[in-house]
Amino acid sequence: MDTVFGVSYNGGVVLATDQVNARSILMYQQNLDKIAELSSHSAMGVSGPNCDLVNFSEYISKNLKLYELSNDGLKLSTHAQANFCRGELAKALRKGPFQVNVILGGYDEKVPTGGSLYVMDYLGSCAKVNYGAQGYASNFCLSIMDRDWEEGLTEEQAVKIVEHCIRELQMRFLINQSNFIIKVIDKDGLRTLKFGADPADN
């Protein structure tokens, strides 16, 4: 029942997820942060069962940090991080699959538009996209993104597309996803733009 979506724009990426942690008929919390920081300029939104979500997010982020420490501070590009993430999903398929779907975004100076966005599923497929959605959100949001996304988007326009998707979900989707968190990645790094409930409020 998780919702994850992302939009790239000229200069960065916007990622958003719902904040609900639920299973079956129970809701455990409404302030979960499903967007994991991978580096100062990259992050990934993850959907799936909470155990796999947390396990996979931490596994990827810690391994990327280990690589950086082992290689004199060398940071992987967003493209390299996406390929590492995809490789780990594929490797786990025949051992103990991670039941997660991922949208990974980041900012790189060498990329002409600055931001890049990658969509991955639990089977290990990976595609570079301009916008993407995971979960039931894709039934509602992909048409909105397809209509509204265009080359040279500004951050403000990208955020408006994401907010439009959130409003549509809250109006049309059978399941109540009351809180969403939106994060932006640009040349200044990763920052939280807004949230429905503070993830630090435990």
Side-chain angles (χ1 to χ4, degrees):
M1 300 302 176
D2 297 326
T3 294
V4 181
F5 37 78
V7 178
S8 66
Y9 64 90
N10 192 19
V13 169
V14 179
L15 293 174
T17 70
D18 72 288
Q19 293 186 267
V20 174
N21 176 16
R23 182 175 180 273
S24 184
I25 61 170
L26 286 178
M27 184 182 295
Y28 299 119
Q29 63 184 122
Q30 297 186 66
N31 66 335
L32 182 64
D33 186 357
K34 298 176 185 177
I35 302 176
E37 180 179 342
L38 301 180
S39 70
S40 59
H41 288 77
S42 65
M44 65 179 183
V46 185
S47 69
N50 192 248
C51 54
D52 278 356
L53 186 153
V54 173
N55 190 9
F56 185 71
S57 299
E58 290 188 357
Y59 175 76
I60 296 296
S61 63
K62 301 309 178 192
N63 270 280
L64 291 175
K65 191 66 180 174
L66 177 63
Y67 180 90
E68 187 181 330
L69 292 170
S70 303
N71 291 274
D72 300 321
L74 177 66
K75 291 186 179 180
L76 290 174
S77 65
T78 307
H79 179 72
Q81 290 178 27
N83 277 279
F84 172 72
C85 189
R86 191 214 75 81
E88 293 305 312
L89 283 169
K91 193 190 298 181
L93 264 183
R94 289 165 180 81
K95 297 177 182 176
F98 292 106
Q99 297 294 317
V100 294
N101 295 309
V102 177
I103 295 184
L104 190 150
Y107 175 86
D108 298 288
E109 289 182 357
K110 294 181 180 178
V111 175
T113 57
S116 47
L117 197 67
Y118 295 85
V119 172
M120 284 162 268
D121 69 7
Y122 72 101
L123 294 172
S125 66
C126 179
K128 186 176 183 182
V129 294
N130 295 316
Y131 53 83
Q134 298 279 24
Y136 287 114
S138 60
N139 295 301
F140 302 90
C141 299
L142 287 179
S143 56
I144 294 171
M145 293 173 177
D146 188 51
R147 184 185 62 193
D148 293 351
W149 191 92
E150 58 188 27
E151 290 284 350
L153 276 183
T154 64
E155 179 188 320
E156 185 180 352
Q157 289 172 318
V159 171
K160 277 186 178 178
I161 292 173
V162 168
E163 289 176 337
H164 187 177
C165 291
I166 291 171
R167 285 197 306 274
E168 193 70 14
L169 282 170
Q170 290 175 336
M171 184 192 310
R172 305 283 184 196
F173 193 24
L174 174 69
I175 294 163
N176 175 32
Q177 295 179 324
S178 50
N179 296 327
F180 283 81
I181 186 166
I182 302 173
K183 294 188 180 183
V184 174
I185 309 165
D186 57 17
K187 60 179 173 34
D188 299 319
L190 173 67
R191 69 181 190 277
T192 302
L193 192 67
K194 57 179 71 174
F195 48 71
D198 189 351
D201 183 15
N202 292 318

